[in-house]
Each structure stands twice: as C-alpha cells, then as structure tokens.
Amino acid sequence: MTDLERPLVVPDMLRLRAKYYPDQVALRVDGRTELTYRDWERGAYARARGLIELGLKPRQRVGLVFGGMDWIDYVMSYLAVQNAGGTTIHLGEQVEPAEALRRLEETDAVGVVLGRGRTAPEGFNGWVVRPGDLAGGHDDSPLSVGIGPEDLSDILYTSGTTGRGKALGVPHGNLTFGRAPDNFKHLGDPLPLMVPIPVCTTPSVTTSSIVLSTPATLVLSPPGDIERMAELVEEYRIASVMINPAIAHKLVRTNVHEKYDLSCVDTLGTAAAPLPPRIARQLLEMFPGAKVNSAFTAAEAYTGVIVNTFDPAKPTSLGRPAPGSELRVTDEHGRPVPDGQLGWIWVGSQAPKRKYLFDHAQTARVQVGHWTWTGDLGRIGPDGDLMLFDRAVDAIRVGDELVSTIEVEYALYEHPAVMEAAVMNVPQPDGTDAVGAALALDDPTALPDVQALAARTLAPHQVPTRYLLVDELPRSVNAKVLKRYLRPRLAEVAPSGG
C-alpha cells in the first residue's frame, strides 16, 4: 500500500505539506522567527533519529516541557516524537511541577524534551534531552516506524475545571480525520491566521493540527499581549484571528482598533467557550468588517463540532453541526427529545474516538457508538439551531427550578462595568444551593447597579444572592474559569438578599 492509499497519521500531514509547498512559511513567531514546511520536516526527521538513538520505541510516551514563545523547537520536537512513533504529553509552564510529575509517571513516560529555560520535574527518572542535542549529526531523510491511525499520537489532559485533569488518549486518526492527500493541494496565496495561545498545551496541539491541515501561515503572538497582537495584525494583514474568552474580554477593554489598522480581519474565531453576547457585539464594533465564529465541541470529541456565526438577533445560538458532524439532544435514557425540550447534548462523528486512559467506565458513558456525550444541557430551537443551557455540573437547582449559570452570566455582562463574571452554586448549611456571582468590575462602586440590573432582568430564582469582587477570574490553560477556587470564597460572603 502506498502513502497515498493508506490512512493518514500525523507525520503524514507534515510530509504532504513539505512535498507540495516546501518553501511556504508554516509558522511565524511574534514577527521574529519563522519556519518553512521543508525545514520543519527535515528538523523533525533529524530529531526523530536522535530520539530513536536514545532508545525511544514506537508507542512509548515522551513529555514535552516548553514555555514562553519557544514555538519553533516545540513543534519540531512534537513532530520528532511523532515521526519516531512515540506519543506526546504536553506540559506547558502552566502545569505545576508536582502535577507534571504525576502525569509523566501515570502515563509511563520514558523521557522528556526540555525547551529553553525549562527543567524536568524533580523525581522524574527517565531520560532528559534538549532539542538542539537531538538534531546534531543526524540524517534528516524520511523514516517509517509502522504506526497507524488507531495508535495514540497524544495524551491530553482535561481542563480540570471541576477537579484534577484526566488523561485522554488521542489516536492519530482523530487528528487526521477527513484529511486526504489531495486536501493538501491549494491554489493561490491564502491570508495568514493568528493564534495568540500558550505553547505546549492542549490548544497548541489543535493549533499544530491547524497549521498542518490548512494552507495559511500561522502567526503566533504572545498570549494576553493585546497591543502586540494588534501590531502583528496590521503588519502581516491577518485575515483570521483565533481568540479564547479571556483574550476577548481583554480585547474589548482596549482601544487598539483606534491605534492600528485592523480592517484586514474578516473572521474572529473562538472555541473554548461561548462568548457573552455583549462581548461579541463589542468585537463586531471594533472589527466592523468581520464576523465572529464559534466552534462548540467536547474534549472527548474534537471532530464532532457545532459551528456558528454570531447573530445579534440570536445571541445565545451555538449553531448547527459542521459537515461530517451530527447532533442530537436526548433524555437521560438516550432517547431523542422534541425540539424545544431541554436535554443532554450529544455530537456525532465517524472519527476514531478519544478515550480516558485510566477511567474506562467514563469512556463507556461518554462514547456510545459514533456519538459523544458532551455533559452539556441544551435544546434545539425553532430554526434548528442548538441553544446551550449549561454544563450539567454547573447548573444550579433552586427549589423546583434549574438555573443556567450561563444565562445569569450573560445578564450580568450587560452592565458595562462588568469585565468578567462567573456564576456558580454556593452550598448552604441546609443542603440546598444558593446562586453566587464572582465579578471583576472596572469600577467596584458599580456593584449596587449590577445587582439592580440582575434583579430587574432575571427571574427571582436566577438572581444571585452572594457577590464576590475579584481582580480577575482564575482560568485554566484552556481559558475556562476555575470555579472551584472561587466557590469557597463566595461561601464566606454574607447573602445580599437577592
């Protein structure tokens, strides 16, 4: 069977890009360094041979420990492990050393590749190597190690919003699903894409997959540096900018659109969590020629995706399934419910499934046939769009009513002083839950006005009875709010009377 006939694995995507477009720039990092597909492929092959020389065997696990803007060595090392047949574990600087050691030990990692200024977790007993030590003197010609689409390319960890992150095994076929060799040929010179995210994280794996499967040059900017992001947009005439909610919230509090020419941007995309309608409207005001697109899925799914273009007339819509994806909303027994009725959200895809490595019972609950249970509640609207109600673990039972924390947050965001908002349950001594809200306000004296807005626009059972003011919300590396750190603080706040 030839390369063009067999199912693709992750290294094939780089091989095909380098074959058809060797001199095209794949990555441009902060406007300072860049990497072509040819150099990426050759560097990955040379480093793969260095890993094999160290003793790495197919299907063994290797940790990647990178931080800062060390993207070139990171993606080179990532594809080196893949080309050697290994499985990567991504340990960015946001992962504490003790947690990094736990992940390396529970996945039986045999070694780690360290980026600039990074050190291996104390107590790790495998081999440790720097990227530069892998490449020297090694052949950079292609090699084949016999891995297939069902073999694991990565072990990713869930965001840990409700507890310690869990290991998900990601098969090659999950990342290459829907790709065929002819997909890697394109006409014209596509406009560049910007992604301001941290290196060596679950989002950076998605980013690497994007740059391998789309023709656009990826411009990487420092996460959270809105000024630098705007400079690079203007300099390279960026057409699409991928942002997470944390960046979106920072972006709308700036005036960068008045200082820089951002008219080249035609798409703002987000995937980590839905944007509050007020934030989406403000983005459209800052980028009048752009649209705000979103992609909704579950970490366990990835290829089953619901996509949407924000419409102010339908502010809470998540949209409809992308091509190749399916959607259903069911009762607790897995039976479809009528449109308009609240139920469990499932997304479907024929791609190889992601599985929990150490929780087979959870895998069995989440993955049923080609369907993936997202753990979210929602309903199908009258026009066929999916309307998200809430994460099931976040929804709050107040008397006989179920409160959507998302709906309450959206209402709070309508006050202009609210920079960030997180709504959650606050356990009470009698075993019931109260509705609490953690807020970052640009003017703390505006809290009474925010409370009045909530009382005026929300149903009585939705109104928060406890408010906590914070400088900023704690977030995971995936930009999701870590409510478990806020809940104990909210429990200490006296009720406001809601």
Side-chain angles (χ1 to χ4, degrees):
M1 181 177 290
T2 69
D3 281 351
L4 296 182
E5 294 171 340
R6 64 171 173 78
L8 298 182
V9 291
V10 170
D12 291 329
M13 295 199 290
L14 177 56
R15 180 180 58 80
L16 288 164
R17 281 278 172 236
K19 175 182 178 181
Y20 294 126
Y21 308 100
D23 298 319
Q24 181 174 316
V25 174
L27 298 174
R28 184 169 284 121
V29 182
D30 197 19
R32 294 180 171 88
T33 57
E34 60 186 36
L35 181 68
T36 65
Y37 286 112
R38 175 193 284 117
D39 290 342
W40 189 358
E41 181 190 39
R42 288 179 175 174
Y45 281 143
R47 287 163 173 77
R49 285 186 163 81
L51 290 168
I52 292 170
E53 189 175 283
L54 279 173
L56 180 64
K57 296 178 175 58
R59 300 168 189 84
Q60 288 185 327
R61 285 83 182 265
V62 176
L64 301 180
V65 183
F66 288 80
M69 293 298 288
D70 200 5
W71 274 93
I72 301 296
D73 275 339
Y74 165 68
V75 297
M76 202 84 79
S77 300
Y78 178 29
L79 267 294
V81 175
Q82 303 291 316
N83 274 299
T87 300
T88 43
I89 307 150
H90 304 259
L91 303 168
E93 57 192 351
Q94 298 82 6
V95 181
E96 295 293 332
E99 175 63 10
L101 180 62
R102 179 187 77 87
R103 295 181 184 187
L104 291 169
E105 289 181 340
E106 77 171 6
T107 56
D108 296 322
V110 297
V112 296
V113 183
L114 299 177
R116 289 192 301 271
R118 307 294 292 157
T119 58
E122 185 176 353
F124 178 65
N125 295 319
W127 49 258
V128 177
V129 68
R130 300 280 178 184
D133 297 330
L134 290 173
H138 290 109
D139 181 9
D140 62 4
S141 61
L143 73 165
S144 177
V145 292
I147 54 174
E150 297 298 331
D151 289 314
L152 296 185
S153 65
D154 299 276
I155 296 174
L156 305 179
Y157 278 76
T158 58
S159 60
T161 53
T162 58
R164 196 161 63 174
K166 292 185 176 182
L168 276 172
V170 181
H172 282 266
N174 183 266
L175 294 176
T176 63
F177 180 72
R179 274 66 171 194
D182 284 346
N183 297 153
F184 292 83
K185 301 176 183 178
H186 64 269
L187 299 175
D189 185 18
L191 295 172
L193 166 72
M194 171 175 282
V195 183
I197 62 166
V199 73
C200 204
T201 60
T202 295
S204 70
V205 174
T206 303
T207 299
S208 300
S209 179
I210 289 172
V211 76
L212 291 173
S213 57
T214 60
T217 295
L218 201 66
V219 177
L220 295 145
S221 65
D225 188 340
I226 303 302
E227 190 84 14
R228 182 59 178 157
M229 185 177 81
E231 290 177 349
L232 293 170
V233 167
E234 180 181 75
E235 180 178 357
Y236 293 107
R237 309 305 297 160
I238 305 293
S240 299
V241 181
M242 301 299 296
I243 57 176
N244 60 38
I247 292 174
H249 287 88
K250 290 181 179 180
L251 184 58
V252 299
R253 300 200 300 271
T254 71
N255 65 342
V256 293
H257 60 300
E258 298 173 358
K259 298 170 61 178
Y260 301 95
D261 180 6
L262 309 181
S263 61
C264 52
V265 177
D266 61 31
T267 303
L268 295 161
T270 182
L275 291 178
R278 190 200 100 201
I279 303 301
R281 294 195 306 268
Q282 287 180 287
L283 289 173
L284 291 177
E285 292 171 3
M286 294 179 71
F287 299 85
K291 54 185 178 291
V292 176
N293 289 345
S294 64
F296 169 83
T297 188
E300 301 88 346
Y302 179 65
T303 55
V305 183
I306 310 301
V307 294
N308 185 56
T309 296
F310 177 75
D311 180 353
K314 298 189 297 181
T316 60
S317 170
L318 290 182
R320 302 184 184 188
S325 298
E326 299 175 66
L327 167 68
R328 68 178 183 182
V329 178
T330 74
D331 62 19
E332 64 272 22
H333 303 294
R335 297 174 300 213
V337 299
D339 289 357
Q341 182 173 320
L342 190 66
W344 295 102
I345 298 173
W346 295 72
V347 291
S349 168
Q350 298 296 333
K353 298 302 180 189
R354 300 182 175 193
K355 298 178 181 179
Y356 288 97
L357 292 186
F358 311 112
D359 192 342
H360 302 303
Q362 179 68 358
T363 296
R365 285 191 294 270
V366 170
Q367 307 287 11
V368 179
H370 74 287
W371 292 99
T372 300
W373 177 63
T374 67
D376 298 301
L377 295 168
R379 55 175 60 87
I380 304 296
D383 58 357
D385 282 6
L386 174 64
M387 316 299 288
L388 177 65
F389 181 79
D390 210 345
R391 289 285 297 169
V393 296
D394 288 342
I396 306 169
R397 178 65 64 180
V398 177
D400 295 331
E401 302 287 348
L402 193 62
V403 174
S404 163
T405 62
I406 293 175
E407 291 177 1
V408 179
E409 288 168 3
Y410 286 0
L412 295 171
Y413 270 112
E414 290 303 313
H415 194 288
V418 176
M419 298 186 296
E420 293 187 287
V423 173
M424 66 209 75
N425 71 301
V426 182
Q428 302 299 290
D430 62 0
T432 63
D433 284 321
V435 180
L439 302 175
L441 302 180
D442 64 8
D443 176 8
T445 66
L447 179 58
D449 290 341
V450 175
Q451 292 173 304
L453 173 68
R456 190 167 62 250
T457 59
L458 292 169
H461 63 276
Q462 294 178 300
V463 177
T465 58
R466 297 170 186 260
Y467 287 88
L468 172 70
L469 295 185
V470 298
D471 293 332
E472 62 181 1
L473 298 178
R475 293 182 182 270
S476 72
V477 69
N478 300 344
K480 295 184 178 180
V481 177
L482 298 173
K483 295 183 179 181
R484 69 178 188 273
Y485 295 128
L486 297 167
R487 192 172 286 109
R489 297 175 61 187
L490 266 167
E492 297 174 356
V493 176
S496 65

